[in-house]
Amino acid sequence: RSVYDDQPNAHQRFMEKLDACIRNHDREIEKMCNFHHQGFVDAITELLKVRADAEKLKVQVTDTNRRLQDAGKEVIAQTEEIIRCRVQQRNITTVVEKLQLCLPVLEMYSKLKEQMNVKRYYSALKTMEQLENLYLPRVSQYRFCQIMIENLPKLREEIKEISMSDLKDFLESIRKHSDRIGETAMKQAQQQKTFSAALQKQNNVNYGRNMHFGRSRILESKNEMTLKRTFEEDDEHEEEILTAQDLVDFSPVYRCLHIYSVLGDGEIFENYYRKQRRKQARLVLQPQSSMHETVEGYRRYFSQIVGFFVVEDHILHVTQGLVTRTYTDELWNMALSKIIAVLRTHSSYCSDPDLVLELKNLIVIFADTLQGYGFPVNRLFDLLFEIRDQYNETLLKKWSGLFRDIFEADNYSPIPVANEEEYKIVTSKFPFQDPELDKQSFPKKLPMSQSVPQIYIQVKEFIYASLKFSESLHRSSTEIDDMLRKSTNLLLTRTLSSCLQNLIKKPHIGLTELVQIIINTTHLEQACKYLEDFISNITNISQVTVHTARLYGLSTFKDARHAAEGEIYTKLNQKIDEFIQIADYDWTMSESDGRASGYLMDLINFLRSTFQVFTHLPGKVAQTACMSACQHLSTSLMQMLLDSELKQISMGAIQQFNLDVIQCELFASSEPVPGFQGDTLQLAFIDLRQLLDLFMVWDWSTYLADYGQATSKYLRVSPGTALTLLEKMRDSSKKNNIFAQFRKNDRDKQKLIETVVKQLRSLVNGMSQHT
């Protein structure tokens, strides 16, 4: 530091001093080396001397070692042999001990492999359990034991997979055989039902054997033989019919259940089994789209469902916990709701009553079968009542066609019977009784037409068809009787009534046919009481002791008669209108022809012949028709006179019109239909008569003087009517007597007309103001 603090060339002086210092140290080193050099030389000399001695010692040691090695070779060989023998002996002892521990393990493992090969998986699992708990812990230190220990879980998984595969095969098998299992169960249920019915019949027969001992002994022996044959036939059927166990091997499900239970996965197996069966249930419950077309489609559907639940019931009773009653009930409730929905949908497509009836029989067998296995089926019988309504609808449609065919084929004329045999044939089909007709000799005619006994027969056939559906519904005779009566009421009040109404409205049905229809409905109405007796007989229900429903045929046939009567009135009026339309009056004629118009005489002849046909009708109907016709004729003639398009009417035309009205009055007074009192029918033409008399007599003074009085001779002639007709005559007089105005009589008559017209107008105006 002092060097650096000097002048700038102090560095050089520093280096010189440093070199001087180095030289001093070199001299000190050299002195030290010279001082120790002699000791170093002496040491080297001593070392060289020791070298020679070391060489001699080495030679001696080598020679000694060689001699020792040669002398100990034999000892060493013997010693090594002894050691090797002792090691072998110890190893053998150890191996024997270890083998005694390992051999049972190997034997058990070999047994395990053999059990796996022969598919005795449950035994294999037991063997694995023994290996793990008893044998392997003793020799767990060996590698092969570790390999075994590692393989055992794999073997368990393999067993689970194999057993699960067997279970899947089992599930597939029962899915394929469900329909056959169900078909077998349904056959057995049906046979059991048939056998029970035969046994009940046998008991009913044996019930009265004490009353007729001798005859009953023979009858009893015959019935015993019959019952024996029934037993034998049932035995034969039982031999032929296979059970569910015969059709399906249930061992895979038992084995799989035991395996999973041993492995501690019983709950997993139960959940898997139930899940798969639920899936299969949904598949089974899914119907084919065309199931409603044939009964075989329904039979296959029911068989599969029955087969499914028969298998579940079997599993329920032979296993512990795999299937529980709660599970089966839940599954059945789900299935039942689906079944009911499917049957509601598909049965609604059925238009054939025979197919609906067969469907009902299948549902009954289906319900009885499952009820035998402990499943509740009340909802199915409730569904049958819904299907019964649909069955009735299909029956009503079918019978509607039958009724239409019967009406189309009817000739609407009384039934001719040539002899007693033909009469009995008709009365055997229809309950007809007429003491007056019985007194007549053959040949004779029954009042109704051919359609009446045919309709009656078809109604009875409908009752039989309806009864077929009511059988086997587990209902009392009273309920069946009530159902039959309600169905018959629907047939009468809706189907037959509609057919009658449509028949009456058909344009080709004339007055003669309408008259016959009224007669037919009268006899059908009288036959309703026999239909009630018929229903009571086939259901064994008394109408007196039980509050049974009544048939509504009375109202049906009354309504039909009223419609036919109204149609008669309408057609009569239409026919009158047709005659009126061909009327050809010369309203400007100077004088009448002296005889009634031809169209009117034809009309009266038509009415006379028509009313002769009405002799078989009830009196009031014929009288009403006759009165309606006369009133309509009178109204039509009045409208003809007062027609606004008719501008002029001569006195000659009035006289001609009067002759026609006289013929109408003569017709009314001839009593075309009996039962009218006095001149009741003639009153239909009273308006015309008073109007024509007023103009024929020209009694205007009386008319005007007595107007408004109850005792007026022309009470039915209104001022408006008289004014309208008088104006038509006035216009005619002006036109025809244009050059007769210079004759005094004509001038007076014209003035009278003008005066009367004014007075009539004042009366009309007064009436309008009063109104």
Side-chain angles (χ1 to χ4, degrees):
R1 182 177 181 183
S2 61
V3 173
Y4 284 99
D5 291 338
D6 291 341
Q7 284 74 18
N9 51 355
H11 178 268
Q12 184 176 4
R13 290 193 300 271
F14 172 74
M15 291 301 297
E16 290 175 356
K17 289 181 180 182
L18 183 63
D19 290 337
C21 185
I22 291 171
R23 286 192 296 268
N24 290 331
H25 284 294
D26 287 339
R27 284 191 296 270
E28 289 176 0
I29 292 171
E30 184 177 357
K31 288 178 181 179
M32 188 177 291
C33 288
N34 290 330
F35 179 78
H36 292 289
H37 177 72
Q38 186 61 42
F40 175 74
V41 171
D42 293 339
I44 292 299
T45 302
E46 289 293 329
L47 184 61
L48 291 174
K49 291 179 181 180
V50 172
R51 179 180 181 183
D53 293 335
E55 287 291 336
K56 290 178 182 180
L57 180 60
K58 179 180 179 182
V59 171
Q60 291 175 357
V61 170
T62 303
D63 182 60
T64 302
N65 181 60
R66 179 181 56 79
R67 289 196 305 271
L68 181 61
Q69 289 293 332
D70 291 340
K73 282 183 180 178
E74 184 175 355
V75 176
I76 291 172
Q78 293 295 325
T79 304
E80 289 179 351
E81 181 67 21
I82 291 172
I83 293 172
R84 186 178 64 80
C85 289
R86 287 182 177 177
V87 169
Q88 287 180 351
Q89 184 180 10
R90 186 172 64 250
N91 289 341
I92 290 172
T93 303
T94 303
V95 167
V96 170
E97 293 175 355
K98 298 303 180 182
L99 283 178
Q100 288 177 348
L101 292 175
C102 293
L103 278 177
V105 176
L106 295 174
E107 289 175 355
M108 291 297 290
Y109 195 80
S110 176
K111 180 181 178 182
L112 172 63
K113 286 293 186 180
E114 183 179 355
Q115 289 171 341
M116 292 289 293
N117 292 333
V118 297
K119 299 181 179 181
R120 294 173 57 193
Y121 302 116
Y122 184 71
S123 300
L125 288 174
K126 291 295 185 183
T127 302
M128 286 187 209
E129 186 177 355
Q130 292 178 358
L131 278 171
E132 285 182 328
N133 298 330
L134 185 62
Y135 294 96
L136 287 177
R138 300 175 183 175
V139 290
S140 59
Q141 68 272 21
Y142 299 110
R143 184 180 177 186
F144 78 92
C145 292
Q146 295 299 324
I147 295 174
M148 288 183 182
I149 293 172
E150 293 174 359
N151 284 339
L152 290 181
K154 297 178 181 179
L155 291 177
R156 283 195 176 93
E157 291 298 323
E158 181 181 353
I159 291 174
K160 288 175 66 175
E161 291 176 0
I162 293 174
S163 61
M164 185 58 69
S165 176
D166 292 343
L167 177 65
K168 291 178 180 178
D169 294 340
F170 165 78
L171 294 174
E172 181 66 20
S173 175
I174 60 175
R175 189 184 68 81
K176 292 180 179 178
H177 291 87
S178 286
D179 53 347
R180 192 174 177 190
I181 294 172
E183 182 180 358
T184 300
M186 291 173 71
K187 283 182 179 179
Q188 290 174 341
Q190 191 170 13
Q191 289 175 4
Q192 180 65 29
K193 186 176 181 180
T194 303
F195 171 74
S196 299
L199 188 62
Q200 181 66 31
K201 184 178 180 180
Q202 169 72 12
N203 293 335
N204 292 338
V205 171
N206 290 337
Y207 179 74
R209 64 183 178 182
N210 291 331
M211 297 177 63
H212 305 281
F213 180 79
R215 293 177 58 190
S216 65
R217 291 289 296 173
I218 301 174
L219 186 60
E220 181 181 355
S221 61
K222 290 183 178 179
N223 287 323
E224 287 177 354
M225 293 175 63
T226 303
L227 191 60
K228 184 178 180 181
R229 285 197 300 269
T230 303
F231 274 115
E232 292 174 352
E233 290 175 359
D234 288 342
D235 291 340
E236 292 175 0
H237 286 297
E238 288 177 0
E239 291 176 0
E240 295 173 359
I241 296 176
L242 299 175
T243 62
Q245 294 86 340
D246 297 326
L247 295 171
V248 177
D249 180 16
F250 286 89
S251 59
V253 70
Y254 308 149
R255 184 165 55 247
C256 196
L257 175 61
H258 291 159
I259 288 171
Y260 272 77
S261 298
V262 169
L263 295 175
D265 295 332
E267 185 176 354
I268 295 176
F269 173 74
E270 291 173 10
N271 293 334
Y272 176 81
Y273 175 84
R274 295 180 183 183
K275 180 179 179 181
Q276 294 302 314
R277 288 297 281 165
R278 281 194 179 93
K279 290 182 179 179
Q280 288 188 346
R282 294 188 184 97
L283 292 176
V284 167
L285 295 171
Q286 188 66 33
Q288 295 182 353
S289 58
S290 60
M291 183 179 74
H292 62 276
E293 296 177 357
T294 60
V295 69
E296 288 302 321
Y298 287 107
R299 182 176 287 110
R300 191 178 307 110
Y301 179 69
F302 288 134
S303 297
Q304 290 177 349
I305 296 173
V306 171
F308 178 89
F309 283 100
V310 166
V311 169
E312 290 304 291
D313 183 77
H314 179 77
I315 295 294
L316 171 66
H317 288 91
V318 299
T319 60
Q320 296 294 331
L322 178 58
V323 174
T324 63
R325 175 55 67 182
T326 303
Y327 161 77
T328 55
D329 290 343
E330 177 186 352
L331 196 61
W332 169 244
N333 289 330
M334 180 273 291
L336 188 58
S337 299
K338 179 67 174 177
I339 293 167
I340 291 174
V342 167
L343 292 179
R344 278 198 184 114
T345 302
H346 283 263
S347 63
S348 63
Y349 300 144
C350 295
S351 57
D352 182 9
D354 294 333
L355 180 58
V356 179
L357 184 61
E358 290 182 352
L359 171 60
K360 167 257 174 181
N361 293 331
L362 281 177
I363 293 176
V364 170
I365 297 173
F366 172 73
D368 290 343
T369 303
L370 289 174
Q371 190 174 32
Y373 285 91
F375 296 100
V377 294
N378 292 333
R379 291 172 62 190
L380 283 175
F381 285 102
D382 294 338
L383 173 66
L384 283 175
F385 277 88
E386 298 179 21
I387 297 178
R388 177 184 168 276
D389 295 335
Q390 181 188 344
Y391 174 71
N392 285 337
E393 290 297 325
T394 59
L395 285 181
L396 292 175
K397 290 180 182 179
K398 179 179 179 180
W399 257 256
S400 177
L402 294 175
F403 289 154
R404 286 196 300 269
D405 294 340
I406 291 173
F407 289 141
E408 289 292 334
D410 196 7
N411 57 7
Y412 297 99
S413 59
I415 301 175
V417 286
N419 49 48
E420 183 72 22
E421 183 178 355
E422 292 182 3
Y423 181 76
K424 289 181 179 179
I425 291 174
V426 176
T427 54
S428 66
K429 297 177 182 178
F430 181 77
F432 174 75
Q433 294 178 356
D434 188 348
E436 295 297 329
L437 187 63
D438 292 342
K439 296 176 182 179
Q440 298 179 13
S441 59
F442 292 99
K444 52 189 175 183
K445 292 184 178 180
L446 303 181
M448 66 277 191
S449 64
Q450 289 287 352
S451 62
V452 172
Q454 293 175 359
I455 292 293
Y456 184 79
I457 291 172
Q458 288 302 325
V459 172
K460 292 173 67 175
E461 291 296 326
F462 176 88
I463 295 172
Y464 276 126
S466 183
L467 178 64
K468 288 181 181 179
F469 195 94
S470 302
E471 295 173 346
S472 304
L473 292 185
H474 306 296
R475 298 291 173 174
S476 65
S477 299
T478 304
E479 291 176 301
I480 293 175
D481 181 88
D482 186 63
M483 287 189 290
L484 289 181
R485 292 177 185 274
K486 289 180 179 178
S487 301
T488 309
N489 278 329
L490 281 177
L491 178 72
L492 296 177
T493 58
R494 196 172 76 183
T495 304
L496 182 56
S497 176
S498 176
C499 291
L500 285 171
Q501 296 291 342
N502 293 334
L503 173 67
I504 291 169
K505 297 296 182 182
K506 287 187 176 180
H508 69 274
I509 297 296
L511 291 171
T512 305
E513 289 81 0
L514 289 171
V515 171
Q516 188 61 55
I517 289 172
I518 292 177
I519 296 171
N520 290 349
T521 54
T522 302
H523 288 283
L524 287 172
E525 179 183 345
Q526 296 171 354
C528 283
K529 61 180 181 179
Y530 296 101
L531 289 176
E532 291 189 349
D533 295 338
F534 173 73
I535 294 175
S536 298
N537 290 334
I538 63 177
T539 58
N540 295 323
I541 297 297
S542 173
Q543 299 185 47
V544 179
T545 57
V546 181
H547 297 288
T548 56
R550 299 300 178 186
L551 297 184
Y552 305 141
L554 299 178
S555 61
T556 297
F557 298 122
K558 284 180 181 178
D559 293 342
R561 276 202 304 279
H562 291 159
E565 292 167 6
E567 196 67 18
I568 286 177
Y569 307 151
T570 301
K571 287 186 179 295
L572 269 176
N573 293 342
Q574 290 175 352
K575 199 66 178 177
I576 291 173
D577 292 338
E578 292 176 5
F579 280 101
I580 294 295
Q581 288 175 1
I582 63 176
D584 187 17
Y585 285 103
D586 182 6
W587 297 107
T588 60
M589 61 186 350
S590 57
E591 60 182 10
S592 66
D593 294 339
R595 62 181 182 276
S597 302
Y599 85 92
L600 190 71
M601 298 306 297
D602 292 341
L603 172 57
I604 290 175
N605 292 332
F606 164 75
L607 291 176
R608 200 180 303 277
S609 61
T610 299
F611 291 139
Q612 287 177 355
V613 180
F614 288 6
T615 54
H616 295 294
L617 287 176
K620 291 184 179 180
V621 177
Q623 293 170 12
T624 304
C626 186
M627 177 60 74
S628 173
C630 291
Q631 289 176 345
H632 185 72
L633 177 57
S634 175
T635 303
S636 299
L637 292 174
M638 181 68 77
Q639 291 175 352
M640 189 185 301
L641 276 178
L642 303 179
D643 188 2
S644 59
E645 296 183 0
L646 179 60
K647 303 300 183 181
Q648 299 175 2
I649 299 178
S650 65
M651 184 56 71
I654 293 293
Q655 293 171 354
Q656 181 64 43
F657 202 81
N658 182 59
L659 293 176
D660 292 346
V661 174
I662 290 173
Q663 290 299 321
C664 293
E665 292 172 333
L666 290 174
F667 169 73
S669 63
S670 66
E671 198 175 5
V673 172
F676 286 108
Q677 296 181 356
D679 56 353
T680 303
L681 192 58
Q682 297 179 47
L683 292 177
F685 301 97
I686 189 64
D687 293 355
L688 274 175
R689 173 46 51 211
Q690 291 185 6
L691 179 63
L692 291 175
D693 286 349
L694 176 61
F695 279 85
M696 292 290 294
V697 180
W698 207 253
D699 193 8
W700 292 106
S701 59
T702 304
Y703 175 78
L704 294 173
D706 297 342
Y707 177 75
Q709 299 181 10
T711 59
S712 174
K713 181 179 179 181
Y714 305 102
L715 181 63
R716 306 300 293 270
V717 181
S718 67
T721 301
L723 177 61
T724 301
L725 187 57
L726 187 59
E727 287 180 339
K728 294 178 185 293
M729 290 190 66
R730 182 184 64 176
D731 293 341
S732 176
S733 298
K734 288 181 179 180
K735 181 178 180 181
N736 295 331
N737 299 315
I738 191 170
F739 297 107
Q741 57 182 333
F742 301 104
R743 294 195 293 270
K744 185 176 183 302
N745 292 334
D746 293 335
R747 289 197 305 271
D748 293 341
K749 184 177 181 180
Q750 191 67 28
K751 289 180 180 179
L752 178 60
I753 291 175
E754 294 294 338
T755 302
V756 172
V757 167
K758 290 180 180 179
Q759 292 179 353
L760 289 175
R761 281 179 179 170
S762 65
L763 290 175
V764 171
N765 293 332
M767 291 176 61
S768 61
Q769 291 177 0
H770 179 71
T771 303

